[in-house]
Amino acid sequence: MQKRVALTPDSPDCSTCGLGHICVPVGMAPSDVRQLEELVQERVRLPKGTTLYTQQDTLDAVYSVRYGCLKTQIEDASGHMQITGFHLPGEMVGLDGMLEGHHVSTATALEDSEVCVIRLSQVDLVANQLPSLQQQMRRLMSRELTRSFQFLASIGGMRSEQRLAGFLLNLSQRYSALGYSASEFVLRMSREEIGNYLGLTLETTSRLFSKFAREKLIAIRQRDLQLLDIPALQTLLGREHC
């Protein structure tokens, strides 16, 4: 069950949050960031498996992941579920519904998580005093949608091995941006969820993890993952070493 937490004067805010380098305040002047305190007035705590919002719910807020990990997925008319993204701290969820006025996906916590609630009505109020906020929200929407859809569009022409390599390298880059290790992290999602996201069966996904481990590209124990040879994964994906 969701637990809503109202912020107090002692609660961490946008100007002191450790995720400021990748979340809403990124690129904003320090004086503008301090005004963002009016924007986030509550947070929602989500135990693992809890739904934040469901497809077709009215869009009255967007959310920034403070800690934990969420997945978003859509359901078609036949009842098939397709995962559209995995969202780490500092990343936004709910932006994909901005044009329609309702959520176009369902967001669920993959582990105990907390999100900052950004009410759209509050965005309008704060934007009157902070003109840079509207531009910032457009930039964030563009960033999140581009990251999600470019990756999903690119995997269509990839072999299964490339899809998994690309997924692991993408996670590596995102964890690195958070200040964590780029080569050792915990997979918050199951093999089945990874396969669904990448358009692969569970059997194929499990086989590829085993193959990568045999070839010493990765070491994996349950969900603890170590990338042993990032350059080789980049080569498999068709990128130059960096």
Side-chain angles (χ1 to χ4, degrees), residues 42-46 52 63-67 70 93 113-117:
E42 67 175 332
R43 298 190 177 111
V44 176
R45 291 178 184 163
L46 302 163
L52 175 61
Y63 307 88
S64 175
V65 182
R66 186 161 181 262
Y67 64 76
L70 278 66
V93 291
S113 305
E114 184 175 278
V115 298
C116 295
V117 181

Side-chain angles (χ1 to χ4, degrees), residues 153-217:
S154 68
I155 66 174
M158 291 182 181
R159 304 191 312 273
S160 57
E161 293 91 344
Q162 292 176 310
R163 296 185 189 190
L164 183 57
F167 174 74
L168 297 179
L169 289 171
N170 177 267
L171 282 181
S172 170
Q173 294 167 355
R174 289 157 68 190
Y175 277 118
S176 178
L178 288 170
Y180 299 132
S181 170
S183 59
E184 295 185 46
F185 45 86
V186 177
L187 294 172
R188 304 301 180 184
M189 59 293 294
S190 68
R191 306 284 195 280
E192 184 174 13
E193 288 168 329
I194 293 171
N196 179 285
Y197 178 61
L198 297 177
L200 304 173
T201 65
L202 172 58
E203 293 75 12
T204 298
T205 305
S206 298
R207 176 177 57 79
L208 288 174
F209 270 106
S210 297
K211 180 177 185 289
F212 283 10
R214 287 195 309 272
E215 295 175 352
K216 306 299 184 185
L217 300 178

Side-chain angles (χ1 to χ4, degrees), residues 96-113:
D96 54 359
M98 292 285 282
L99 294 178
E100 300 293 335
H102 61 79
H103 289 290
V104 298
S105 62
T106 296
T108 306
L110 290 174
E111 60 180 329
D112 291 349
S113 305

